[in-house]
Amino acid sequence: MYWEKEIETISPEELKTLQQERLKLTLQRAAQTPFYRKLFAQAKIKPELIKTKEDLQFIPPTTKEDLRSGFPFGFLSVPLTEVVRLHSSSGTTGTPTVIYHTASDLARWSNQVARSLFTVGVRKNDIFQNMMSYGLFTGGLGMHYGAERLGAMTIPIGAGNSKRQIWFLKHFKSTVIHIIPSYALLLSNLIKSEGLDPKTDFNVNIILLGAEPHSEGTRKRVEQAFGAKAYNSYGLSEMNGPGVAFECGYQTGMHLWEDYYLVEIVNPKILTPCQPGELGEIILTTINREATPILRYRTKDLAFYYQEPCPCGRTHLRISRIQGRADDMFIFRGVNIFPNQIETVLMNIPEVGANYRIILSREDYRDIMRIEVEIKPELFAGELPKLERLRERITNELRAEILVTPQVVLVEPGTLPTQEGKAIRLIDKRKL
Amino acid sequence: MAYQISVFAENKPGRIEKITGILAQNQINLRAITISSANGFGVIKLLVDQPQKAYELLHSHDIPAYLQEVIAVIMEDQPGGLHKIAKILSQNQINIEDAYGFVVKTGERSVLIIQVESQPHAQSILERSGLRVLNDEEIYQY
């Protein structure tokens, strides 16, 4: 029933004690890092006086910009020789964010993911086909190590290459898949187009959906397509990656593992705590990690929490699906993208004019990114082939930055609609 | 040497209307027009009687326009007229990048507009072959 019964069903009092012990340790580790040492000094914080979750409010939150400014070692609390792995955000123009892990960090993270997988019914005899990309992205490796920790046979196939995915599903009779929701729907269609039935010709009975916010409706469609249960999960690389929060068999909210994180859900403007059911930004403090302690990290993800205890018996806080973002980041085919990354690329190309527009849509379960780019009248060179080359150059430079290929369309200057003089940069027509 | 204007335009209704409207209001006469398009956008090439003025007008309306030298050569309006010119160019290894033509007097004369990589070189070859190359004013005199 449980992977770690004692910790998963811990009483509120015991949890509080455990969290306070781990917070104390975390603050000691944080004080070893250049970033927090400076922050504590500037804000006149004595970390030893921060004892409870409520005391956390005296510490200013940490933002993604802070993590960038701390590149490369600002958040490292152990000697580099103790580090066995790093994960990093994508992006070539901006400074990346880097998270370091010691061997015991990885062991704890693997346990966290194993616990999450166990919660939705994955067992040692399962065959796990991991369709997330491996590498710096935490989705692939994070889930991989968790599944191995659990003892399931793990197929590190990675993302994409649908024909090969289908071949493995068929020949190894994979029972569990980890997949981006939009790709799950696409894959089920591809399976059908090969004359196979995803429900009866395969053995998939658990689908782990991740890396992309999605709605209950999308989950239902994935479940119907494969005739399997699909479970939502939540994670972000700054907080390890997958396994921060996971649904249980009841599929009503995700349990956020409170022995790993202190959770706050706050009004994103004034940072005051939200009531149950009230949408707010998730703020997380790592309390079970040594190499890279992060205090009060502003995830910018919006969700609410449930007050009622979960029938599954787990006492860890249940949060809703991610309902949106407190900033303008969007997720495209599982890749986190900020409009600013696109803007930086475009504005470094001399032929590009003042305005551009990003339009996201979905056709046949495939996400499409169209970028309309105004060209500069004075740099127009008169010939169609030159325009085609410009369009290709813009496409290639964008792909190098955002790792996905957009459809670039050149438009006349002054034709993109603006609102009160301010350009509308992002239009997301996708239905979650 | 003659001039044409290239205009960048999205492939959607109303673009040619807008451009020709500006030219009409300013008493600019059109001799020829060609359109090529790909991937939702295209280039409109215009041969007009006052290229410099047309270019400035379009620019003042924020329309990306480009003033470009082209070769305008007189061509006989009869079978083999174009072939004769093409043959001279090919014998001299000159590649035609773009071309269009229009009839000035049916059965007698038409004008061929060509764009090649090295315009002065091509022009002198055509002239040495006995062909008549026109400048802006001359296009409209014929």
Side-chain angles (χ1 to χ4, degrees), chain A residues 155-418:
Chain A
I155 307 174
I157 189 162
N161 199 340
S162 303
K163 280 214 183 304
R164 193 169 61 174
Q165 299 286 4
I166 296 168
W167 193 91
F168 270 82
L169 282 174
K170 208 162 79 186
H171 288 88
F172 290 97
K173 303 197 181 336
S174 309
T175 54
V176 180
I177 61 174
H178 179 211
I179 190 166
I180 295 172
S182 55
Y183 183 57
L185 293 170
L186 179 66
L187 188 67
S188 77
N189 272 10
L190 294 171
I191 289 172
K192 282 180 207 151
S193 71
E194 292 202 358
L196 296 165
D197 184 345
K199 284 197 282 286
T200 52
D201 291 329
F202 299 90
N203 297 57
V204 175
N205 52 49
I206 294 175
I207 300 168
L208 310 167
L209 298 177
E212 223 175 50
H214 57 283
S215 64
E216 196 55 46
T218 300
R219 184 230 296 272
K220 292 254 157 64
R221 274 162 51 196
V222 172
E223 290 190 327
Q224 278 157 14
F226 285 90
K229 282 279 193 186
Y231 296 96
N232 189 16
S233 61
Y234 174 63
L236 60 162
S237 62
E238 298 86 343
M239 294 289 125
N240 291 351
V244 172
F246 233 87
E247 279 185 340
C248 60
Y250 289 90
Q251 293 182 314
T252 315
M254 301 179 280
H255 292 280
L256 202 151
W257 302 123
E258 290 187 89
D259 54 329
Y260 280 80
Y261 310 97
L262 294 183
V263 198
E264 300 167 77
I265 294 184
V266 301
N267 177 312
K269 292 207 173 72
I270 48 174
L271 303 188
T272 50
C274 289
Q275 298 302 308
E278 188 189 344
L279 198 63
E281 182 180 339
I282 304 170
I283 292 188
L284 296 171
T285 299
T286 63
I287 50 169
N288 207 7
R289 190 162 77 179
E290 48 182 33
T292 319
I294 298 179
L295 311 175
R296 302 195 76 210
Y297 184 63
R298 292 198 62 173
T299 65
K300 305 278 181 175
D301 289 318
L302 302 177
F304 60 85
Y305 71 97
Y306 297 84
Q307 196 167 36
E308 311 76 44
C310 185
C312 79
R314 289 178 185 83
T315 49
H316 296 238
L317 187 77
R318 260 188 311 153
I319 60 164
S320 70
R321 291 179 173 284
I322 302 306
Q323 316 274 326
R325 291 279 301 177
D327 61 11
D328 57 0
M329 189 192 89
F330 62 92
I331 299 181
F332 183 83
R333 295 185 192 163
V335 182
N336 296 355
I337 299 169
F338 288 92
N340 190 41
Q341 287 177 278
I342 291 170
E343 173 157 334
T344 307
V345 171
L346 292 178
M347 294 309 139
N348 279 329
I349 299 172
E351 291 91 337
V352 169
N355 279 329
Y356 67 92
R357 189 160 73 150
I358 306 161
I359 300 165
L360 306 174
S361 59
R362 188 165 285 157
E363 283 167 28
D364 298 334
Y365 308 120
R366 216 184 281 264
D367 281 5
I368 311 278
M369 186 193 308
R370 177 185 160 101
I371 302 183
E372 298 178 341
V373 179
E374 284 187 359
I375 69 160
K376 228 181 232 169
E378 55 273 27
L379 287 176
F380 168 60
E383 297 298 330
L384 196 61
K386 284 183 187 155
L387 288 172
E388 253 316 289
R389 282 199 290 277
L390 171 63
R391 201 183 68 85
E392 277 167 25
R393 203 172 95 220
I394 296 172
T395 308
N396 292 340
E397 291 193 19
L398 284 169
R399 181 173 43 226
E401 170 63 27
I402 59 178
L403 311 176
V404 292
T405 309
Q407 290 177 355
V408 173
V409 178
L410 304 181
V411 302
E412 295 165 37
T415 55
L416 291 178
T418 55

Side-chain angles (χ1 to χ4, degrees), chain A residues 20 50 62 228 290 349:
Chain A
Q20 288 182 8
I50 308 286
T62 302
E290 48 182 33
I349 299 172

Side-chain angles (χ1 to χ4, degrees), chain A residues 16-36:
Chain A
K16 200 173 166 186
T17 310
L18 177 78
Q19 286 181 331
Q20 288 182 8
E21 283 166 17
R22 291 187 175 177
L23 176 63
K24 188 179 165 188
L25 223 80
T26 298
L27 289 163
Q28 287 167 3
R29 287 180 188 134
Q32 305 293 314
T33 69
F35 180 87
Y36 287 114

